[in-house]
Amino acid sequence: MNSDRGGLDEVSLHSFTHLDDMPDIADYIRALEIFDAQKEMQELKSIAIERTGVSSGTSILDVGCGFGLETLRLAQLLGPGERMAGIDKSASFIAEAQRRAAEAGRAIDFRQGDAMALPYTKASFDIGRAERLLIYLDDPERAISELRRVVRAGGRIALIEPDVETNTINVDDRTLVRRILRHECDVGVPNAWLVRRLGAMLEDLGFTGIEIATRVVIFDQALAAGYFAKLGVSARQAGVIGDEDLAHWTGAIAELRGRGRLFCTIGYFLFTAIRA
Ligand SMILES: C[S@@+](CC[C@H](N)C(=O)[O-])C[C@H]1O[C@@H](n2cnc3c(N)ncnc32)[C@H](O)[C@@H]1O
Protein backbone atom coordinates (compact mmCIF):
# COMPACT_ATOMS: atom_id res chain seq x y z
CA MET A 1 0.00 0.00 0.00
CA ASN A 2 1.06 3.59 -0.50
CA SER A 3 2.52 5.86 2.12
CA ASP A 4 0.48 8.14 4.31
CA ARG A 5 1.44 11.82 4.31
CA GLY A 6 -1.26 13.75 6.14
CA GLY A 7 -4.50 15.37 4.95
CA LEU A 8 -5.06 17.14 1.65
CA ASP A 9 -8.69 17.96 2.26
CA GLU A 10 -9.01 21.12 0.21
CA VAL A 11 -7.77 19.83 -3.12
CA SER A 12 -10.29 19.60 -5.97
CA LEU A 13 -9.75 19.32 -9.73
CA HIS A 14 -12.15 22.17 -10.32
CA SER A 15 -9.82 24.66 -8.58
CA PHE A 16 -7.00 24.05 -11.08
CA THR A 17 -8.83 26.38 -13.48
CA HIS A 18 -8.60 29.37 -11.08
CA LEU A 19 -5.65 28.78 -8.77
CA ASP A 20 -4.97 32.48 -8.28
CA ASP A 21 -8.34 32.81 -6.50
CA MET A 22 -7.35 30.20 -3.91
CA PRO A 23 -6.25 31.60 -0.52
CA ASP A 24 -3.40 29.11 -0.29
CA ILE A 25 -1.87 27.04 -3.07
CA ALA A 26 0.38 24.99 -0.77
CA ASP A 27 -2.00 22.01 -0.76
CA TYR A 28 -2.21 22.10 -4.56
CA ILE A 29 1.56 22.09 -4.86
CA ARG A 30 1.78 19.19 -2.44
CA ALA A 31 -1.00 17.25 -4.19
CA LEU A 32 0.74 17.61 -7.57
CA GLU A 33 4.08 16.60 -6.07
CA ILE A 34 2.62 13.49 -4.44
CA PHE A 35 0.72 12.46 -7.57
CA ASP A 36 3.74 13.15 -9.75
CA ALA A 37 5.83 10.80 -7.59
CA GLN A 38 3.54 7.83 -8.25
CA LYS A 39 5.47 5.10 -10.02
CA GLU A 40 3.06 4.90 -12.94
CA MET A 41 3.25 8.65 -13.61
CA GLN A 42 7.04 8.48 -13.60
CA GLU A 43 6.87 5.64 -16.11
CA LEU A 44 4.65 7.66 -18.47
CA LYS A 45 6.98 10.66 -18.18
CA SER A 46 9.99 8.49 -19.02
CA ILE A 47 8.20 7.12 -22.09
CA ALA A 48 7.34 10.71 -23.10
CA ILE A 49 11.02 11.72 -22.83
CA GLU A 50 12.09 8.75 -24.92
CA ARG A 51 9.39 9.13 -27.60
CA THR A 52 9.85 12.87 -28.05
CA GLY A 53 13.66 12.55 -28.19
CA VAL A 54 14.49 14.90 -25.31
CA SER A 55 18.27 15.26 -25.26
CA SER A 56 21.01 17.82 -25.12
CA GLY A 57 20.44 20.24 -28.01
CA THR A 58 16.64 20.23 -28.04
CA SER A 59 14.42 23.17 -27.12
CA ILE A 60 11.28 22.39 -25.12
CA LEU A 61 8.06 24.18 -24.20
CA ASP A 62 5.92 22.95 -21.27
CA VAL A 63 2.39 24.38 -21.59
CA GLY A 64 0.35 24.51 -18.37
CA CYS A 65 3.65 23.88 -16.58
CA GLY A 66 2.24 24.62 -13.12
CA PHE A 67 5.07 25.35 -10.70
CA GLY A 68 7.56 23.69 -13.05
CA LEU A 69 7.84 20.21 -11.59
CA GLU A 70 8.50 18.43 -14.91
CA THR A 71 9.90 21.56 -16.59
CA LEU A 72 12.78 21.66 -14.13
CA ARG A 73 13.35 17.95 -14.47
CA LEU A 74 13.54 18.23 -18.27
CA ALA A 75 15.88 21.21 -17.97
CA GLN A 76 18.39 18.92 -16.24
CA LEU A 77 18.49 16.81 -19.43
CA LEU A 78 19.41 19.81 -21.58
CA GLY A 79 22.72 21.61 -21.81
CA PRO A 80 23.15 24.92 -19.94
CA GLY A 81 22.66 27.15 -23.02
CA GLU A 82 19.59 25.37 -24.36
CA ARG A 83 16.08 26.67 -24.30
CA MET A 84 13.57 25.37 -21.78
CA ALA A 85 10.32 27.31 -21.45
CA GLY A 86 7.24 26.92 -19.30
CA ILE A 87 3.97 28.82 -19.45
CA ASP A 88 0.99 28.72 -17.10
CA LYS A 89 -2.13 30.75 -16.48
CA SER A 90 -1.49 30.95 -12.72
CA ALA A 91 0.72 33.82 -11.56
CA SER A 92 1.24 32.09 -8.18
CA PHE A 93 2.42 28.87 -9.81
CA ILE A 94 4.74 30.76 -12.18
CA ALA A 95 6.23 32.68 -9.24
CA GLU A 96 6.90 29.35 -7.49
CA ALA A 97 8.40 27.91 -10.70
CA GLN A 98 10.72 30.91 -11.00
CA ARG A 99 11.73 30.55 -7.36
CA ARG A 100 12.54 26.85 -7.85
CA ALA A 101 14.49 27.51 -11.08
CA ALA A 102 16.58 30.19 -9.33
CA GLU A 103 17.22 27.83 -6.41
CA ALA A 104 18.36 25.13 -8.85
CA GLY A 105 20.52 27.65 -10.76
CA ARG A 106 18.62 27.02 -14.01
CA ALA A 107 17.76 29.72 -16.53
CA ILE A 108 14.26 28.68 -17.58
CA ASP A 109 11.92 31.01 -19.46
CA PHE A 110 8.91 30.74 -17.14
CA ARG A 111 6.07 33.11 -17.91
CA GLN A 112 2.43 33.63 -17.15
CA GLY A 113 0.19 33.21 -20.17
CA ASP A 114 -2.66 31.39 -21.85
CA ALA A 115 -2.39 28.05 -23.64
CA MET A 116 -4.99 29.41 -26.09
CA ALA A 117 -2.69 32.18 -27.35
CA LEU A 118 0.95 31.26 -26.85
CA PRO A 119 3.34 34.24 -26.88
CA TYR A 120 5.98 32.55 -29.08
CA THR A 121 6.66 32.81 -32.79
CA LYS A 122 5.96 29.83 -35.01
CA ALA A 123 8.38 26.90 -35.05
CA SER A 124 10.20 28.15 -31.92
CA PHE A 125 10.60 24.74 -30.27
CA ASP A 126 11.69 21.17 -31.11
CA ILE A 127 9.35 19.67 -28.51
CA GLY A 128 6.06 20.79 -27.00
CA ARG A 129 4.42 19.12 -24.04
CA ALA A 130 1.36 19.51 -21.82
CA GLU A 131 0.48 17.46 -18.78
CA ARG A 132 -2.90 17.53 -17.05
CA LEU A 133 -3.80 20.75 -18.85
CA LEU A 134 -6.19 19.91 -21.67
CA ILE A 135 -8.99 18.40 -19.55
CA TYR A 136 -9.34 21.82 -17.88
CA LEU A 137 -9.85 23.73 -21.11
CA ASP A 138 -13.14 24.50 -22.86
CA ASP A 139 -11.41 24.26 -26.24
CA PRO A 140 -8.49 21.81 -26.04
CA GLU A 141 -8.29 21.63 -29.84
CA ARG A 142 -7.35 25.29 -29.97
CA ALA A 143 -4.60 24.77 -27.38
CA ILE A 144 -3.19 21.87 -29.41
CA SER A 145 -3.31 24.02 -32.58
CA GLU A 146 -1.31 26.64 -30.72
CA LEU A 147 1.20 24.02 -29.62
CA ARG A 148 1.42 22.86 -33.24
CA ARG A 149 2.12 26.40 -34.41
CA VAL A 150 5.07 26.92 -32.04
CA VAL A 151 6.69 23.48 -32.63
CA ARG A 152 8.83 23.15 -35.76
CA ALA A 153 7.97 20.75 -38.59
CA GLY A 154 9.37 17.34 -37.66
CA GLY A 155 9.28 18.25 -33.97
CA ARG A 156 7.38 16.18 -31.40
CA ILE A 157 4.66 16.70 -28.87
CA ALA A 158 3.71 14.80 -25.71
CA LEU A 159 0.33 15.11 -23.99
CA ILE A 160 -0.43 13.40 -20.67
CA GLU A 161 -4.06 13.38 -19.52
CA PRO A 162 -6.37 11.20 -17.40
CA ASP A 163 -9.79 9.85 -18.27
CA VAL A 164 -11.71 11.11 -15.23
CA GLU A 165 -14.43 8.49 -15.71
CA THR A 166 -11.86 5.81 -14.83
CA ASN A 167 -11.57 6.85 -11.16
CA THR A 168 -12.07 3.84 -8.88
CA ILE A 169 -12.34 3.49 -5.10
CA ASN A 170 -12.90 0.48 -2.84
CA VAL A 171 -15.87 1.87 -0.86
CA ASP A 172 -18.32 -1.04 -0.70
CA ASP A 173 -21.58 0.66 -1.79
CA ARG A 174 -21.51 0.45 -5.60
CA THR A 175 -24.52 2.68 -6.17
CA LEU A 176 -23.07 5.41 -3.98
CA VAL A 177 -19.63 5.11 -5.59
CA ARG A 178 -21.16 5.37 -9.07
CA ARG A 179 -23.29 8.40 -8.16
CA ILE A 180 -20.40 10.33 -6.63
CA LEU A 181 -17.80 9.45 -9.26
CA ARG A 182 -20.20 10.10 -12.15
CA HIS A 183 -21.01 13.50 -10.67
CA GLU A 184 -17.31 14.36 -10.44
CA CYS A 185 -16.76 13.22 -14.00
CA ASP A 186 -19.62 15.37 -15.25
CA VAL A 187 -18.88 18.58 -13.32
CA GLY A 188 -15.26 18.43 -12.08
CA VAL A 189 -13.59 19.51 -15.33
CA PRO A 190 -14.89 20.57 -18.76
CA ASN A 191 -13.24 17.69 -20.66
CA ALA A 192 -13.23 14.58 -18.46
CA TRP A 193 -13.53 12.28 -21.52
CA LEU A 194 -10.98 14.10 -23.65
CA VAL A 195 -8.59 11.18 -24.16
CA ARG A 196 -11.31 9.26 -25.99
CA ARG A 197 -11.11 11.74 -28.88
CA LEU A 198 -7.54 12.98 -28.50
CA GLY A 199 -6.01 10.61 -31.08
CA ALA A 200 -8.58 11.60 -33.72
CA MET A 201 -8.10 15.26 -32.82
CA LEU A 202 -4.33 14.99 -33.35
CA GLU A 203 -4.85 13.26 -36.70
CA ASP A 204 -7.33 15.94 -37.81
CA LEU A 205 -4.82 18.63 -36.84
CA GLY A 206 -2.24 17.00 -39.13
CA PHE A 207 0.01 15.24 -36.62
CA THR A 208 1.56 11.94 -37.68
CA GLY A 209 3.24 9.03 -35.89
CA ILE A 210 0.69 9.10 -33.09
CA GLU A 211 1.55 6.68 -30.29
CA ILE A 212 -0.31 6.03 -27.05
CA ALA A 213 0.90 4.64 -23.73
CA THR A 214 -1.32 4.09 -20.70
CA ARG A 215 -0.91 3.44 -17.01
CA VAL A 216 -3.40 2.89 -14.22
CA VAL A 217 -2.15 5.14 -11.44
CA ILE A 218 -2.61 3.92 -7.86
CA PHE A 219 -3.24 6.90 -5.60
CA ASP A 220 -1.17 7.67 -2.55
CA GLN A 221 -3.45 7.02 0.48
CA ALA A 222 -3.40 10.56 1.92
CA LEU A 223 -4.00 12.16 -1.45
CA ALA A 224 -6.83 9.74 -2.19
CA ALA A 225 -8.47 10.31 1.21
CA GLY A 226 -8.55 14.09 0.76
CA TYR A 227 -9.53 14.07 -2.90
CA PHE A 228 -12.24 11.39 -2.79
CA ALA A 229 -13.76 12.70 0.47
CA LYS A 230 -14.14 16.08 -1.21
CA LEU A 231 -15.98 14.46 -4.14
CA GLY A 232 -18.63 13.31 -1.66
CA VAL A 233 -19.00 16.83 -0.28
CA SER A 234 -19.36 18.23 -3.79
CA ALA A 235 -22.00 15.60 -4.68
CA ARG A 236 -23.89 16.45 -1.47
CA GLN A 237 -23.78 20.19 -2.24
CA ALA A 238 -25.20 19.47 -5.70
CA GLY A 239 -28.02 17.38 -4.18
CA VAL A 240 -26.78 14.20 -5.91
CA ILE A 241 -26.55 12.37 -2.57
CA GLY A 242 -28.09 12.89 0.90
CA ASP A 243 -26.60 13.49 4.35
CA GLU A 244 -26.61 9.81 5.26
CA ASP A 245 -24.86 8.93 2.02
CA LEU A 246 -22.18 11.52 2.71
CA ALA A 247 -21.70 10.23 6.26
CA HIS A 248 -21.29 6.69 4.90
CA TRP A 249 -18.86 7.88 2.21
CA THR A 250 -16.60 9.92 4.48
CA GLY A 251 -16.77 7.29 7.23
CA ALA A 252 -15.82 4.49 4.84
CA ILE A 253 -12.91 6.47 3.42
CA ALA A 254 -11.62 7.39 6.89
CA GLU A 255 -11.96 3.80 8.07
CA LEU A 256 -10.15 2.37 5.02
CA ARG A 257 -7.43 4.98 5.25
CA GLY A 258 -7.03 4.34 8.99
CA ARG A 259 -6.25 0.71 8.22
CA GLY A 260 -3.99 1.60 5.28
CA ARG A 261 -6.48 -0.16 2.99
CA LEU A 262 -7.83 2.71 0.88
CA PHE A 263 -7.42 1.71 -2.78
CA CYS A 264 -8.10 4.30 -5.48
CA THR A 265 -6.95 4.40 -9.09
CA ILE A 266 -7.28 6.44 -12.28
CA GLY A 267 -6.33 5.74 -15.90
CA TYR A 268 -3.70 8.01 -17.45
CA PHE A 269 -2.81 8.31 -21.13
CA LEU A 270 0.27 9.61 -22.92
CA PHE A 271 -0.12 10.69 -26.56
CA THR A 272 3.03 11.44 -28.53
CA ALA A 273 3.02 12.65 -32.12
CA ILE A 274 5.15 14.24 -34.83
CA ARG A 275 4.36 17.74 -36.04
CA ALA A 276 4.22 17.20 -39.82
C1 LIG B 1 -3.30 20.00 -12.68
S1 LIG B 1 -2.27 21.37 -12.98
C2 LIG B 1 -0.91 20.58 -13.83
C3 LIG B 1 0.36 21.38 -13.77
C4 LIG B 1 1.58 20.67 -14.38
N1 LIG B 1 1.41 20.40 -15.78
C5 LIG B 1 1.86 19.37 -13.65
O1 LIG B 1 1.62 18.30 -14.21
O2 LIG B 1 2.35 19.45 -12.50
C6 LIG B 1 -3.11 22.22 -14.29
C7 LIG B 1 -2.40 23.50 -14.70
O3 LIG B 1 -3.02 24.05 -15.87
C8 LIG B 1 -2.97 25.46 -15.75
N2 LIG B 1 -3.94 26.05 -16.68
C9 LIG B 1 -5.29 25.93 -16.65
N3 LIG B 1 -5.82 26.61 -17.71
C10 LIG B 1 -4.79 27.15 -18.40
C11 LIG B 1 -4.68 27.95 -19.57
N4 LIG B 1 -5.75 28.36 -20.25
N5 LIG B 1 -3.45 28.31 -20.01
C12 LIG B 1 -2.33 27.93 -19.32
N6 LIG B 1 -2.37 27.17 -18.20
C13 LIG B 1 -3.58 26.79 -17.74
C14 LIG B 1 -3.30 25.69 -14.28
O4 LIG B 1 -2.95 26.98 -13.84
C15 LIG B 1 -2.47 24.58 -13.63
O5 LIG B 1 -1.17 25.00 -13.32
Side-chain angles (χ1 to χ4, degrees), residues 66-141:
F67 55 93
L69 203 50
E70 189 66 8
T71 333
L72 265 155
R73 208 176 276 143
L74 291 172
Q76 317 287 347
L77 302 175
L78 305 181
E82 285 143 16
R83 186 163 182 220
M84 182 77 225
I87 187 162
D88 197 279
K89 179 179 156 182
S90 163
S92 332
F93 265 12
I94 286 297
E96 175 64 12
Q98 285 166 337
R99 192 194 64 73
R100 289 180 181 218
E103 197 175 84
R106 289 274 159 182
I108 299 175
D109 170 17
F110 278 120
R111 55 177 105 167
Q112 188 190 8
D114 191 351
M116 300 301 193
L118 295 173
Y120 312 102
T121 52
K122 69 176 189 178
S124 306
F125 297 94
D126 299 310
I127 297 168
R129 74 180 303 277
E131 181 174 337
R132 284 170 289 173
L133 165 74
L134 300 172
I135 59 166
Y136 297 98
L137 305 179
D138 290 327
D139 188 355
E141 196 164 357

Side-chain angles (χ1 to χ4, degrees), residues 28 43 51 64 94 121-122 124-125 159 185 205 241 254 275:
Y28 287 86
E43 287 169 4
R51 290 190 182 169
I94 286 297
T121 52
K122 69 176 189 178
S124 306
F125 297 94
L159 308 173
C185 183
L205 288 169
I241 60 168
R275 193 250 194 252

Side-chain angles (χ1 to χ4, degrees), residues 34 40 47 50 95 146 202 268:
I34 294 172
E40 302 85 3
I47 299 170
E50 190 189 308
E146 269 296 87
L202 291 172
Y268 259 76

